């Protein structure tokens, strides 16, 4: 997280506070909406999934809820890179797969 500094520059980046960043997981590829919803990719449950948290104060956030994950039986190994349309009606994301050669591949999906 970084803030706009006086004069137009930016402050040094810092990790988001708990419960967004945890010592046992990584969080990245975020999208903050105008009304305070924070969508991000995390491996807090093992594979990559998309979570949402809500701003509850200047540096406080609600406990994240998982909002996008692979369906049962899917060959997807993770879901990542949340991006909302400007009106908030569509959430686009990447569905990650490993192909037969062990290389990663992805599809773009939306909900």
């Amino acid at each position: 997280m970084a803030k706009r500094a006086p004069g137009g520059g930016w402050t040094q980046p810092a990790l988001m506070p708990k419960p967004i960043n945890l010592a046992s997981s990584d969080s990245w590829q975020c999208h903050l909406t105008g009304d305070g919803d924070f969508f991000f990719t995390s491996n807090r449950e093992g594979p990559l999934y998309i979570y949402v948290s809500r701003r509850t104060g200047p540096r406080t956030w609600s406990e994240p809820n998982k909002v996008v994950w692979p369906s049962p039986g899917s060959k997807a190994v993770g879901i990542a890179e949340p991006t909302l349309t400007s009106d908030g009606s569509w959430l686009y994301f990447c569905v990650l797969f490993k192909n037969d050669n062990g290389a990663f591949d992805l599809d773009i999906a939306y909900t």
Side-chain angles (χ1 to χ4, degrees), residues 4 7-8 11 17 30 33 40 43 48 61-62 69-70 72 74-75 77 80 84 87-88 96-97 101 104:
R4 188 174 298 276
T11 62
C30 62
T33 67
F40 62 98
N43 63 350
L48 297 176
W61 300 85
S62 67
W69 60 93
S74 169
K75 294 184 179 186
V77 296
L84 285 165
D87 66 1
L96 304 167
F97 299 92
N101 298 325
F104 284 102

Side-chain angles (χ1 to χ4, degrees), residues 7-26:
W10 292 90
T11 62
Q12 283 292 109
L15 290 175
M16 295 283 291
K18 287 181 181 179
I20 305 299
N21 278 317
L22 304 174
S24 61
S25 67
D26 290 319

Side-chain angles (χ1 to χ4, degrees), residues 65-97:
N65 291 312
K66 187 169 55 172
V67 293
V68 183
W69 60 93
S71 59
S74 169
K75 294 184 179 186
V77 296
I79 306 289
E81 300 188 26
T83 303
L84 285 165
T85 56
S86 60
D87 66 1
S89 62
W90 296 99
L91 174 66
Y92 287 85
F93 53 92
C94 295
V95 181
L96 304 167
F97 299 92

Side-chain angles (χ1 to χ4, degrees), residues 36-71:
D37 286 336
F38 184 72
F39 290 83
F40 62 98
T41 302
S42 179
N43 63 350
R44 62 187 56 224
E45 292 183 34
L48 297 176
Y49 298 142
I50 295 175
Y51 295 82
V52 66
S53 179
R54 187 165 236 339
R55 183 184 293 254
T56 57
R59 289 204 28 93
T60 58
W61 300 85
S62 67
E63 190 65 34
N65 291 312
K66 187 169 55 172
V67 293
V68 183
W69 60 93
S71 59

